[in-house]
Amino acid sequence: MALTAGESEALATALSGRVAGEVLAPSHPDFERARTVWNGCIDRRPVAIARCQSAADVAEVVGFTRDRGLPLAVRGGGHSLPGFSTCDGGIVLDLSPMRAVRVNPEARVARAQGGCRWRDYDAATHAHGLASTGGLISTTGIAGLTLGGGIGWLTRRYGLACDNLLRAEVVTASGDVLHASVTEHPDLFWGLRGGGGNFGVVTEFEFRVHPVSTVVAGLAIFSLDRSREVSHFYRDYAASLPDEFTTMLVFLTAPREEFVPSELRGQLAVAIVGCYCGQVDDANTVLAPLRALAPAVDLFEPMPYPDFQAMFDADLPAGDRYYFKGGFLPACSDAIVDVIQDFMARRPSPRSELDLHHMGGAVARVGDSDTAFADRAAAFTYNVLAIWSEPSGDEANRTWARAFAAELDRLGTGRGYVNFLSEVSGEGDLRGTYGDQRYRRLVELKRDFDPTNLFRLNQNVRP
Ligand SMILES: Cc1cc2nc3c(=O)[nH]c(=O)nc-3n(C[C@H](O)[C@H](O)[C@H](O)COP(=O)(O)OP(=O)(O)OC[C@H]3O[C@@H](n4cnc5c(N)ncnc54)[C@H](O)[C@@H]3O)c2cc1C
């Protein structure tokens, strides 16, 4: 039953008496802004937003919400595509004030609070010439991205974001503060690496960091009439690449920018995008075959790693409308490229794109059952990104993305990537996403750590 305005106010007042951080009730001047999340399709009204400052605050909010039987939405960076980090009629546990990062360069370890975005983390580690795998853009939260797996620009060299996780501080549904690592609650540690936010609120992540400072990164764009030639090239090229070079094949609308030849601007095009994180001098050798293909645009150049991670931020602004689908593919076959070209040619929005992430490397060297991540053997992860601005485009864009993904999944490994899913239709779908065995293990873990399913606003594993 929905709370009255007075009841919401009373609830927020009661909660604010128990935490150091600010608690926003619907009457607060900042509430309307604070209730929004990154995906503009999501429009929900919580009864209060608790801006936590510490693990103790988090434990209070967890206990308060649990004891009143209210929905609980945990917010890290707010990028959840289905809007899991907000809710109707419940409490948002907002970690955004918790963005401190401490780097120990000697030990090659970075500790980051649960509300950090990758830009916070990268700035702190880059100051020491260090980095670990984050996402492709800098505004995503480290929490949701890492807990779901985490594909980024350093993936092939240093694994998924979750593969760099050494230890996590977790507030569980019972309000206990635990640590998870290979030696402390190893079962929980397994689930935190790919199982999403199902098991508790992570208040601090401890990552292994690596020497990464200047990278050679950018993109090469080709006209669409060369897509067959480029995809054939890419298939062999990707297979030959050293782990230092993480790349993806992208179908996108060529930007209307000076650096793009005029005949290509605004046209559907194919691009190879990548980040080389080894010796700068060696990058030219690795890039030579790509350059020999004579792209219409070649933007590969040396730059600080955080600059590349922020390069595409402006293409994915907060408040626009988004619907993503993602899964795993065994190859970059002609059949797959045909599907991509067909669907991209009839995309309802010119801003939509298709990313084909090259996997392998360090991702594939972690044992398949060592973490909850669904498919380490896949050669590629695809991501259909439907991006549009007006609510009138909702139906057409979602229908297109669903049909596109269904066709790709027919050719896929059968698994999905939880971080790229705008929806799963229930337990059956999530079981398929993870595979039977892995899903069963996640259910057992859920029963141990969250038997009443307090943490259910996520790709939910039911206890
Ligand atoms: C623009 C954009 C770019 C993206 N790029 C990439 C990419 O390059 N690589 C990739 O792998 N994925 C990418 N993603 C997907 C992204 O990983 C997921 O959307 C992820 O869940 C976002 O995490 P967040 O903390 O920002 O989101 P939130 O909306 O804050 O949270 C996402 C989920 O995690 C839970 N959660 C959040 N914080 C915590 C916490 N501290 N403890 C426990 N649970 C928590 C939430 O309850 C929710 O279920 C991208 C998404 C977007 C929108």
Side-chain angles (χ1 to χ4, degrees), residues 38 74-81 84-85 95 114 135-137 140-141 143-145 147 150-151 197 200-202 205 316 324 417 419-420 457-458:
W38 179 84
V74 179
R75 185 181 301 173
H79 272 213
S80 159
L81 292 145
F84 288 139
S85 44
L95 292 151
L136 300 186
I137 70 165
T140 309
L145 187 135
L147 296 171
I151 296 171
V201 184
V202 179
F205 294 82
L316 299 159
F324 286 12
Y417 176 35
N419 276 353
F420 287 164
L457 294 177
N458 42 48

Side-chain angles (χ1 to χ4, degrees), residues 9 38 148 205 252 330 388:
E9 290 296 324
W38 179 84
F205 294 82
L252 78 176
W388 68 104

